[in-house]
Each structure stands twice: as structure tokens, then as C-alpha cells.
Amino acid sequence: MATEFPASVRNFQRYLQIKTMQPNPDYVSCVEFLLAQGDELGLQGKVHTLVPGKPIVVLTWPGRNPDLPTVALNSHTDVVPVYEEFWDHDPFAATIVPDSGSGEHRIVARGAQDMKIVGMCYLEAIRELQRTGVTQLERTVHLLFVPDEETGSEDGMKKFVHHEAFHALRIGVFLDEGISNPEDAYKVFYAERAPWWVRYTAHGNTGHGSQFINHTAIPKLLNVVNTLLDFRAKEEQRLLHDVKEDGQSRLRLGDVTTVNLTMLNCGKQVNVVPECAEASFDIRVCPTVDLVQFEAWLHKLADTNDVQLDIIQSYKGKNLTPLENNPWWECIQAASKEAGIALDTDIFPAATDSRFVRPLGIPAFGISPLRNTPILLHDHNEYVTVRSYLEGIQFYQKVISALGSMK
Ligand SMILES: CSCC[C@H](NC=O)C(=O)O
Ligand SMILES: [Zn+2]
Ligand SMILES: [Zn+2]
């Protein structure tokens, strides 16, 4: 007999089936779906089109006391591309399959973890609160559904935070995505590493591949590459062997800087010495690093090796929400305790939209309601279990109601 799932699961499947895949996300169907969800819940729906084709949807649940700073529940609507041939199921069918051995079921889809589960849990938590008689909270709650996070948020949150409509939301606390945790706790991210994407370009003499030609592009570039890869190796060793200031806890990914050589370009033909060579790096800088000094080091590397540096993207803001004496954080902790879910605080290894919000002085917490779950964001066969989705709805019921009730 086929297993019956609650209506909230069907709703999640519908959201996952909307193909909001980069680089051509179907935002039209997505907006239509979200506004209909808002209507069902009696939320006020607004679409802000700062850039044509890049809609920002805000669904608002007005609070009893409109003067209080509000609770913002953020999620991005886009998902990353797939290598469809490596998937066991259509990534946009949201197929439900048995989870081997556990008696659970998996919902398989691109975006299941990153991060449609989060947006959907917000909506279903509000539905559940209303069903149990909570018609209004003290504080206004805004659900933000934003585009283009996966490509750097240029036409999404990065612009929205400078827009009048964002300031009009008067946000007191901001919840955003985290990452699933293979262990038995929800990860809570209070800070993030800074994404620095850089490209080094070397030029040099060219000529026949049979000669000893000096001052060519590739050796210059290799000096830079080797220096950055040495730095990478040292950081990796620190991660593997060092401990935190307390002398005990192991370092985690967020505590070190990672460097990945992600693109190499050069050469036209095997017997022609190339005039130009390029190497691009994805660097994620630990929040305790002095970014002014770090940038100076990147430039020095270019100058001493006679190569050019292009900073494709850099981040210099203060991307950290202090947890000490933070009433929002205390409230989240109390609500999680009530839900029976342990929290594990950490520094986010990649980047989320919170990096545009924290520098404005708004406390932001990155949480995905996924524990005992492998990390499959951006991977093949991304899935969440039905059980974690339903647990997430319960978790957000507690958290939304607690944050929304703070006096
Ligand atoms: C730094 S802009 C790109 C943002 C992207 N976010 C999720 O994967 C990331 O690579 O971290
Ligand atoms: Zn994401
Ligand atoms: Zn992502």
C-alpha cells in the first residue's frame, strides 16, 4: 500500500518541482506559487522587482505591536544546476523513495536541502500555528524569498539591502540558511568566511615550442600558484592538527582559510609558447583574518611575480553576529530546547545572503533544519527525509512563535 503523507509534504513537492535552476530560473512560476501560499495563510504579499526578471517576494504576517522590530525569515528561491545523468531520479520530480533500512522516506530533488526545505518549513510552520489558534503574534513576521543567491546575489539580496523597501521591513532578527549536519544537532551559523574570488594573469614572451624562451607567462604564473597552494597546505595542516584558544576543541572549516585553484586558462597550440596564462582561485577567508593585510598580500604576490591581479569578488564587511548577551539568540536556544533539538554553533564555510545583512547591525542566524543528514547541497541526488522536513516545521513553529512573542 502506498504511504500517505501529510498535505505539507505535497506542498513541498510542488515547490521543488518549480524549476528555479540557474542560469535560467523559472521565477515566474515561483512567484505565482509563493503568492498563492501567502494568500492561503492570509499573509500580505508584495513583489519587489529591483531588476527585471529578478523578483523578491515578501509575505508579511502583521503583528499586534507594529512598532516592534520584526522577525525576518529569509530563503533564496534559486537552485544550482544539475548533472542529470548522475541522478537516480528526475531532479525536478521531487520523487519520494524509501530510505534504505530506516523505514524513512526521502524526497529527492535539487534544492531539497539548499534551501527550499527552509522556505517551505517557514510557510508550513505558520500554517500550523494558525491551525492551532495562533492568529497573530506580538511582532510582525516577514518571509523573504529572494533570487540569485547561488550566483552571488548581485540582483538579489545585495541590492535589496540598500533599497527603501528593505529598510521599511524594520528587521530585528534575520534567519537564513545553514547546512545539514551528519550529527545529531542543528548547525547554527553566527558568522561566515569572506569569499574572495581572484584571477592572476601573466603575460610573457612567445615563440616556437622547440626553443629556450625566457620570461614566458606560465613560469611567472606558476610562482603565484605555488605560493597560494603552499598557503593552502599550511591552512589544511592547521585544520587537521591545531586546536582552538581553549586548548581543547578542534578547529573547524570556518576557523581556517581555504584556497582552491578552480580555473586555469592558457595556450593555443602545443608548439606555440603561450603569450598569456590565467589562474583563478576561490578563497574563503576566516573571519579573524585582517582583510586589509590579506588583500595587500595578494597584491604583493602579483607585483613580485610580474603578473596582474583582478579581484573578481571580495568581501570586507563585518560578517559576525555576537552571541553573548544576545536576547534573540537566547530566545532561539530556549525554543530549540523546547523542541528537543540540540544546536551546534559554527562559522559558515561558504557564503549566504546573511553577509549583506550582518554589516547593517542586524543579528543573523543561519539554520537548516537538517540533522543526522549527509551534506548534499550542490551534489547529485540531493534529498531530505520526510521526517526531517516534518521535524523542521515543528522546530520553526517554536522558533517563530518565540521570536515573534519577544516583548
Ligand atoms: C560568494 S558568492 C556565491 C555564493 C555561494 N553560495 C552558496 O553556495 C558560495 O559560493 O558560497
Ligand atoms: Zn543556499
Ligand atoms: Zn547553494
Side-chain angles (χ1 to χ4, degrees), residues 179-366:
I179 295 186
S180 56
N181 187 2
E183 287 166 29
D184 189 30
Y186 286 175
K187 287 268 188 185
V188 178
F189 297 97
Y190 60 94
E192 290 179 12
R193 299 192 300 173
W196 280 65
W197 292 355
V198 301
R199 180 173 52 239
Y200 286 96
T201 307
H203 293 277
N205 295 329
T206 179
H208 199 284
S210 63
Q211 304 297 299
F212 282 118
I213 296 168
N214 289 324
H215 305 293
T216 58
I218 289 179
K220 293 189 208 175
L221 189 71
L222 284 182
N223 285 337
V224 174
V225 168
N226 289 334
T227 307
L228 279 164
L229 292 186
D230 279 351
F231 172 66
R232 172 198 155 105
K234 289 200 182 91
E235 288 297 285
E236 191 179 15
Q237 287 306 308
R238 266 194 342 110
L239 173 65
L240 293 174
H241 303 297
D242 285 13
V243 289
K244 290 194 186 184
E245 278 167 5
D246 64 10
Q248 291 178 1
S249 344
R250 303 284 303 271
L251 291 190
R252 307 206 220 173
L253 195 51
D255 299 312
V256 298
T257 297
T258 48
V259 177
N260 276 289
L261 172 55
T262 48
M263 294 170 81
L264 273 174
N265 279 315
C266 73
K268 282 193 185 291
Q269 186 172 299
V270 181
N271 61 352
V272 179
V273 174
E275 186 278 329
C276 169
E278 279 179 4
S280 305
F281 296 87
D282 182 348
I283 309 177
R284 307 293 172 125
V285 190
C286 165
T288 53
V289 170
D290 180 329
L291 291 171
V292 175
Q293 280 182 21
F294 182 75
E295 183 173 11
W297 179 65
L298 293 177
H299 280 289
K300 195 170 155 219
L301 201 53
D303 296 344
T304 53
N305 291 292
D306 182 32
V307 305
Q308 179 192 322
L309 168 63
D310 290 299
I311 297 182
I312 304 163
Q313 142 156 232
S314 66
Y315 180 90
K316 295 177 186 160
K318 185 151 177 46
N319 196 352
L320 190 142
T321 297
L323 297 180
E324 314 76 56
N325 303 318
N326 183 328
W328 302 106
W329 171 228
E330 282 161 21
C331 183
I332 293 170
Q333 283 178 295
S336 307
K337 197 166 177 197
E338 215 186 291
I341 293 167
L343 301 177
D344 180 16
T345 53
D346 207 343
I347 297 169
F348 197 72
T352 72
D353 279 334
S354 292
R355 73 186 181 284
F356 305 111
V357 173
R358 288 198 184 100
L360 307 176
I362 300 173
F365 301 93

Side-chain angles (χ1 to χ4, degrees), residues 31-309:
V31 168
E32 195 185 329
F33 172 80
L34 292 170
L35 291 178
Q37 295 287 312
D39 277 349
E40 278 179 31
L41 298 170
L43 310 178
Q44 299 165 0
K46 266 201 187 133
V47 183
H48 302 283
T49 312
L50 277 47
V51 177
K54 309 286 184 180
I56 295 164
V57 178
V58 180
L59 304 177
T60 299
W61 193 16
R64 264 189 296 274
N65 189 345
D67 295 333
L68 289 174
T70 65
V71 177
L73 308 173
N74 186 63
S75 64
H76 62 80
T77 51
D78 60 326
V79 302
V80 291
V82 290
Y83 292 93
E84 199 155 354
E85 62 276 27
F86 291 98
W87 284 65
D88 298 332
H89 305 274
D90 174 352
F92 293 95
T95 313
I96 298 185
V97 296
D99 183 55
S100 43
S102 70
E104 301 291 323
H105 286 84
R106 294 178 179 184
I107 309 171
V108 184
R110 173 55 89 224
Q113 292 195 5
D114 183 13
M115 63 174 294
K116 286 180 172 173
I117 185 175
V118 183
M120 212 56 223
C121 280
Y122 296 154
L123 285 163
E124 291 297 333
I126 290 176
R127 196 187 305 278
E128 205 45 33
L129 283 171
Q130 293 181 346
R131 198 184 60 79
T132 53
V134 183
T135 52
Q136 194 171 34
L137 296 171
E138 199 62 18
R139 291 177 190 263
T140 295
V141 177
H142 298 293
L143 282 70
L144 279 55
F145 293 89
V146 296
D148 281 13
E149 189 277 342
E150 294 293 6
T151 51
S153 309
E154 200 59 46
D155 294 337
M157 193 57 92
K158 191 171 176 183
K159 283 208 170 62
F160 192 40
V161 293
H162 299 298
H163 197 271
E164 211 275 314
F166 181 87
H167 297 281
L169 299 176
R170 300 175 47 258
I171 296 172
V173 65
F174 185 88
L175 298 193
D176 200 355
E177 65 189 312
I179 295 186
S180 56
N181 187 2
E183 287 166 29
D184 189 30
Y186 286 175
K187 287 268 188 185
V188 178
F189 297 97
Y190 60 94
E192 290 179 12
R193 299 192 300 173
W196 280 65
W197 292 355
V198 301
R199 180 173 52 239
Y200 286 96
T201 307
H203 293 277
N205 295 329
T206 179
H208 199 284
S210 63
Q211 304 297 299
F212 282 118
I213 296 168
N214 289 324
H215 305 293
T216 58
I218 289 179
K220 293 189 208 175
L221 189 71
L222 284 182
N223 285 337
V224 174
V225 168
N226 289 334
T227 307
L228 279 164
L229 292 186
D230 279 351
F231 172 66
R232 172 198 155 105
K234 289 200 182 91
E235 288 297 285
E236 191 179 15
Q237 287 306 308
R238 266 194 342 110
L239 173 65
L240 293 174
H241 303 297
D242 285 13
V243 289
K244 290 194 186 184
E245 278 167 5
D246 64 10
Q248 291 178 1
S249 344
R250 303 284 303 271
L251 291 190
R252 307 206 220 173
L253 195 51
D255 299 312
V256 298
T257 297
T258 48
V259 177
N260 276 289
L261 172 55
T262 48
M263 294 170 81
L264 273 174
N265 279 315
C266 73
K268 282 193 185 291
Q269 186 172 299
V270 181
N271 61 352
V272 179
V273 174
E275 186 278 329
C276 169
E278 279 179 4
S280 305
F281 296 87
D282 182 348
I283 309 177
R284 307 293 172 125
V285 190
C286 165
T288 53
V289 170
D290 180 329
L291 291 171
V292 175
Q293 280 182 21
F294 182 75
E295 183 173 11
W297 179 65
L298 293 177
H299 280 289
K300 195 170 155 219
L301 201 53
D303 296 344
T304 53
N305 291 292
D306 182 32
V307 305
Q308 179 192 322
L309 168 63

